[in-house]
Amino acid sequence: MKIIVCVKQVPDTSGKVAVNPDGTLNRASMAAITNPDDLNAVEAALTLKEQTGAEVVIVSMGPPPAESMLREVMARGADRAVLVSAREFGGSDTYATSQILAAAINKIGVEDEDIVLCGRQAIDGDTAQVGPQIAEKLHLPQVSYAAEITKEGDTITVKRMLEDGYMTIKVKTPCLITCIKELNAPRYMSVGGIYECYSKPYEIFDYNTLKDDSLIDPTTIGLKGSPTNIFKSFTPPQKGVGMMLEGADKATCDKLAGILAAKHLI
Amino acid sequence: MSNYNSAAIEEFKGGVWVFCEQRQGKMMPTSFELISEGRKLADELGEKLYGLLLGHEIEGIAKELGGYGADGVYVCDHPLLANYTTDGYTKVICDVIQEYKPEVMLIGATNIGRDLGPRCAARLHTGLCADCTHLDIDVPKYKDFLRSASTLAPAMIDSIPEDDRNLKMTRPAFGGHLMATIICPRFRPAMATVRPGVMKKNAFDQAKADACEIIKPNFSLTEDDMETQVVEVVKAAKKLVDLIGADVVVSVGRGISKDVEGGIKLAEELAEVLGGVVGGSRATIDSGWLSADHQVGQTGKTVHPKIYVALGISGAIQHKAGMQDSECIIAVNKNDTAPIFEIADYGICGDLFKVTPMLIEAIKAAKAAK
Ligand SMILES: Cc1cc2nc3c(=O)[nH]c(=O)nc-3n(C[C@H](O)[C@H](O)[C@H](O)COP(=O)(O)OP(=O)(O)OC[C@H]3O[C@@H](n4cnc5c(N)ncnc54)[C@H](O)[C@@H]3O)c2cc1C
Ligand SMILES: Cc1cc2nc3c(=O)[nH]c(=O)nc-3n(C[C@H](O)[C@H](O)[C@H](O)COP(=O)(O)OP(=O)(O)OC[C@H]3O[C@@H](n4cnc5c(N)ncnc54)[C@H](O)[C@@H]3O)c2cc1C
């Protein structure tokens, strides 16, 4: 049994983010991190590995520096890693990205008892579309927003979160599941893991490795082939700085209440 | 549907469609928002607007969509559609779209919409824009939007050609630091998921609801199409807060940490005198002080109430993303450099445990004086 986990390296958008004058992101100014939800997917895979002895394979599409992230994930306990990297793949939207990742997963091989895991959403593109789109391309059933995963034989039971509650869903392997932070608390790298991670199998799939896969349509990959295009990108204006009220006493509060009343807000 | 070709864009004359999500026979509020927005787009395109409603024994709730602007509703009724499943819904929606070929397809960006949208777009061989907050067809209107909502240079905005008829789908990315307008020029339908709570609902018109046409398309669905099985659907036991519909939201942040219960109680009291509900920053949800339905922000809810009060919230970009369009923002924070003050209409620098009780009294007095 295999568990294939899709992991993306992303710029850390939680702190200050620098934007270039042309409205693109100044990626060089930001630290590269492992996408947070993907660490929950990795943790779920490692938990299943402990229960079933499954092999955990990590797949990432991105430029070569993503290797350091893949080594880190192997130091947490994953068994091998594949980096999908080619100039032809750059600038792909989610349709194109999922096509390429699906071809890579195809090459790794999805057998009857296997599971593919993704994070729900990457914090840069923020679309949450890649998981379901990989599932469609691979003709796998999908369950997204997983907050609990249990496996009995070939049946997986997932607690799938909704805004107003949850659904319990049963699905048979092979299947694809997208993970949210409520699922688990990711473990850290172990000292032994760090020691071993450089001797674990690490492969690169480039354009030539994947181009003959039936899932790859050269006219719908990369920047030019992507169905969606960026028409304009821009930064939102800062809302004008408002009024700081002097003091933090009763008079200040009375003044504010007076303003709200005058504006008919209360 | 072997002759279906998503690149033959001139064949997609089926109008503007909105997937109208219902749960347990109850329409999700976002369906009305999207029908209202869809009306605007259909008018700009000179096309008709249709709702697409799937479920079991749901025909009775279809006509209401007409009251918000739908010319008609495609109703797909089947016992296997009673609960949402990715397999069942995707099959039926894709079959119907391949037959009727809408030009535009909108889906609410709920947890269900964001499961369904990408699966359908991949099957239909078209692009999907995620979690949009603004939509345009007409370029002059799009330019007006850019003038007020972007920092682009006026000359850059003026230079956009006016003949573009693609659906222009604008969305936040990189945690709200950047906005991108996405188009899907080569394939149809142009698809978007739209963030709940952002689009304004039209006034309901009973005459239009009565006139709304009900269409029952042919489709096939059998047990063999279903690969996932819904064992149960559980509604959250507690009544969830209706942040999106609230006129006033009083949110608390980590600033209440020295007395969590007391801080929440103050927020509840302030919300009560203002006629609103309590929300929170993600810090309060992650700490377990408030349940997840209270979260405002990028990964929580987007709100635009008349009054938004932030008590002890620093104003991280992900929090701002969910509340910066509020009409009037009031912030109380003991740190005068907290970023929340950059977007607050009225800021008070002070301890929320001291300021909030005085504010409650002042508002009570101001209301009594009216
Ligand atoms: C400003 C901006 C806006 C964009 N808007 C859109 C849009 O509306 N529609 C659209 O189709 N594309 C859009 N894109 C392109 C999109 O961000 C990229 O295709 C991106 O590579 C994948 O999407 P995501 O980051 O949103 O991933 P998500 O779909 O949010 O990621 C979900 C999960 O899929 C897996 N995954 C995603 N990418 C990879 C990867 N490279 N390697 C391994 N696993 C991965 C991870 O498990 C991840 O947790 C936009 C890009 C930018 C810069
Ligand atoms: C991918 C991602 C998504 C996220 N999504 C969201 C989201 O949807 N919503 C969200 O809110 N956050 C979100 N965050 C988290 C966000 O970055 C911040 O960490 C969070 O908003 C901080 O919450 P806070 O303001 O309550 O806490 P803090 O940043 O710790 O701020 C507490 C504030 O309280 C003030 N304070 C302390 N004591 C008092 C007192 N007695 N009186 C007055 N003021 C006091 C302090 O000066 C400080 O400014 C997200 C982060 C990431 C990475």
Side-chain angles (χ1 to χ4, degrees):
Chain A
M1 178 190 173
K2 267 195 310 304
I3 304 167
I4 300 173
V5 191
C6 297
V7 176
K8 187 181 186 192
Q9 193 171 43
V10 294
D12 185 358
T13 58
S14 63
K16 266 254 177 279
V17 169
V19 179
N20 296 322
D22 63 353
T24 58
L25 213 71
N26 183 351
R27 282 174 185 266
S29 72
M30 282 181 283
I33 57 168
T34 309
N35 183 50
D37 286 351
D38 301 359
L39 290 176
N40 298 104
V42 168
E43 179 60 34
L46 295 174
T47 308
L48 284 166
K49 173 182 170 172
E50 285 159 1
Q51 292 162 6
T52 63
E55 181 191 24
V56 175
V57 187
I58 308 298
V59 188
S60 185
M61 180 173 107
E67 175 174 352
S68 59
M69 170 193 76
L70 290 171
R71 296 281 178 202
E72 266 187 50
V73 176
M74 287 194 280
R76 287 172 197 256
D79 298 295
R80 64 181 166 112
V82 173
L83 177 67
V84 183
S85 197
R87 205 159 347 124
E88 288 85 346
F89 301 153
S92 290
D93 74 351
T94 64
Y95 184 98
T97 299
S98 58
Q99 187 181 132
I100 298 160
L101 284 170
I105 292 168
N106 228 1
K107 182 148 186 80
I108 295 165
V110 182
E111 272 143 291
D112 281 352
E113 67 274 27
D114 293 352
I115 303 173
V116 182
L117 297 179
C118 285
R120 173 183 73 115
Q121 185 161 347
I123 61 169
D124 52 350
D126 270 346
T127 69
Q129 291 178 179
V130 170
Q133 295 194 317
I134 292 175
E136 172 63 20
K137 307 256 158 141
L138 293 173
H139 302 290
L140 295 177
Q142 83 197 37
V143 185
S144 53
Y145 291 84
E148 266 173 42
I149 301 174
T150 49
K151 181 173 186 297
E152 267 173 83
D154 64 352
T155 303
I156 314 277
T157 307
V158 181
K159 178 176 179 185
R160 181 210 194 280
M161 296 313 290
L162 297 171
E163 294 85 345
D164 55 355
Y166 65 90
M167 280 177 166
T168 307
I169 293 179
K170 276 196 195 314
V171 61
K172 290 213 183 312
T173 61
C175 60
L176 183 145
I177 301 171
T178 79
C179 304
I180 58 175
K181 70 174 194 303
E182 286 76 8
L183 179 60
N184 51 40
R187 71 190 66 187
Y188 293 103
M189 294 179 271
S190 68
V191 176
I194 295 170
Y195 183 73
E196 280 172 12
C197 73
Y198 283 91
S199 53
K200 286 183 175 175
Y202 175 76
E203 273 179 280
I204 294 182
F205 289 0
D206 62 9
Y207 183 65
N208 282 325
T209 323
L210 298 178
K211 72 175 193 319
D212 296 326
D213 190 290
S214 60
L215 285 169
I216 296 279
D217 172 355
T219 67
T220 54
I221 59 166
L223 185 65
K224 275 176 89 180
S226 291
T228 65
N229 304 158
I230 295 192
F231 185 69
K232 275 269 168 297
S233 68
F234 55 89
T235 46
Q238 279 281 350
K239 191 166 181 258
V241 177
M243 190 196 290
M244 280 304 279
L245 300 174
E246 283 296 323
D249 50 15
K250 183 171 181 304
T252 315
C253 293
D254 288 342
K255 182 175 172 196
L256 178 54
I259 296 172
L260 296 179
K263 291 191 153 189
H264 304 290
L265 285 166
I266 56 173
Chain B
M1 219 59 65
S2 56
N3 63 350
Y4 179 77
N5 175 7
S6 62
I9 63 175
E10 66 290 345
E11 289 174 13
F12 286 75
K13 288 286 161 227
V16 173
W17 283 27
V18 172
F19 170 70
C20 295
E21 186 184 337
Q22 54 82 23
R23 294 186 190 173
Q24 282 75 51
K26 219 176 152 283
M27 199 67 82
M28 293 290 280
T30 187
S31 302
F32 301 126
E33 297 162 13
L34 262 59
I35 286 286
S36 305
E37 180 69 13
R39 181 72 263 163
K40 188 194 90 179
L41 300 175
D43 290 344
E44 289 182 28
L45 279 170
E47 302 272 358
K48 287 200 161 180
L49 172 69
Y50 296 98
L52 174 60
L53 179 63
L54 277 66
H56 186 44
E57 292 166 352
I58 33 80
E59 200 184 318
I61 60 171
K63 273 185 174 273
E64 189 180 359
L65 296 163
Y68 296 95
D71 296 306
V73 181
Y74 291 90
V75 177
C76 303
D77 190 300
H78 196 287
L80 290 175
L81 296 174
N83 282 318
Y84 171 75
T85 61
T86 314
D87 331 304
Y89 274 55
T90 304
K91 170 149 199 310
V92 172
I93 290 173
C94 291
D95 286 356
V96 177
I97 286 186
Q98 294 189 358
E99 172 146 5
Y100 291 92
K101 296 190 174 139
E103 183 168 357
V104 168
M105 174 78 184
L106 307 180
I107 299 175
T110 61
N111 287 16
I112 282 178
R114 295 188 79 175
D115 182 81
L116 177 67
R119 187 98 197 192
C120 289
R123 189 167 302 178
L124 293 167
H125 196 295
T126 188
L128 173 65
C129 179
D131 207 21
C132 299
T133 52
H134 188 88
L135 296 165
D136 286 291
I137 299 282
D138 287 343
V139 174
K141 286 190 181 147
Y142 176 64
K143 288 182 173 178
D144 285 343
F145 161 70
L146 287 182
R147 285 186 192 102
S148 68
S150 83
T151 51
L152 289 175
M156 174 109 97
I157 296 173
D158 293 337
S159 69
I160 300 170
E162 301 238 328
D163 56 355
D164 184 275
R165 300 302 287 162
N166 282 295
L167 177 63
K168 287 163 275 296
M169 305 170 270
T170 303
R171 59 175 303 250
F174 297 102
H177 292 279
L178 197 68
M179 303 292 291
T181 303
I182 309 278
I183 54 171
C184 178
R186 292 185 293 132
F187 302 105
R188 291 291 179 269
M191 291 182 61
T193 62
V194 182
R195 186 176 289 190
V198 173
M199 301 302 174
K200 293 234 153 54
K201 209 164 75 171
N202 289 339
F204 180 77
D205 182 337
Q206 185 62 50
K208 285 195 189 147
D210 295 339
C212 180
E213 182 190 358
I214 301 294
I215 308 149
K216 293 186 183 164
N218 286 323
F219 65 90
S220 80
L221 187 66
T222 67
E223 287 283 355
D224 290 343
D225 297 315
M226 312 295 279
E227 292 194 282
T228 50
Q229 182 203 343
V230 177
V231 183
E232 56 174 348
V233 181
V234 180
K235 280 248 182 193
K238 249 188 345 134
K239 194 177 170 328
L240 295 164
V241 286
D242 182 14
L243 280 180
I244 289 178
D247 274 345
V248 176
V249 177
V250 179
S251 287
V252 289
R254 208 188 325 259
I256 62 168
S257 61
K258 70 176 177 197
D259 175 8
V260 172
E261 263 177 48
I264 293 174
K265 193 151 174 292
L266 283 174
E268 284 169 352
E269 279 176 39
L270 182 56
E272 168 141 20
V273 295
L274 291 170
V277 299
V278 172
S281 71
R282 177 148 141 194
T284 63
I285 278 83
D286 287 349
S287 308
W289 304 340
L290 291 171
S291 57
D293 50 313
H294 291 83
Q295 184 178 323
V296 173
Q298 184 202 334
T299 43
K301 295 193 176 110
T302 304
V303 298
H304 39 82
K306 291 204 181 77
I307 304 178
Y308 187 89
V309 188
L311 301 174
I313 293 178
S314 60
I317 183 103
Q318 296 90 354
H319 188 79
K320 287 179 185 166
M323 47 64 77
Q324 60 198 356
D325 291 332
S326 305
E327 223 171 283
C328 174
I329 298 170
I330 299 168
V332 182
N333 195 303
K334 67 176 183 191
N335 174 0
D336 67 354
T337 62
I340 191 79
F341 288 132
E342 292 164 11
I343 60 160
D345 295 279
Y346 303 102
I348 297 179
C349 180
D351 181 350
L352 72 94
F353 290 97
K354 298 209 177 88
V355 174
T356 314
M358 290 189 286
L359 197 54
I360 293 168
E361 289 314 313
I363 288 167
K364 277 189 189 158
K367 284 175 84 169
K370 275 206 152 180

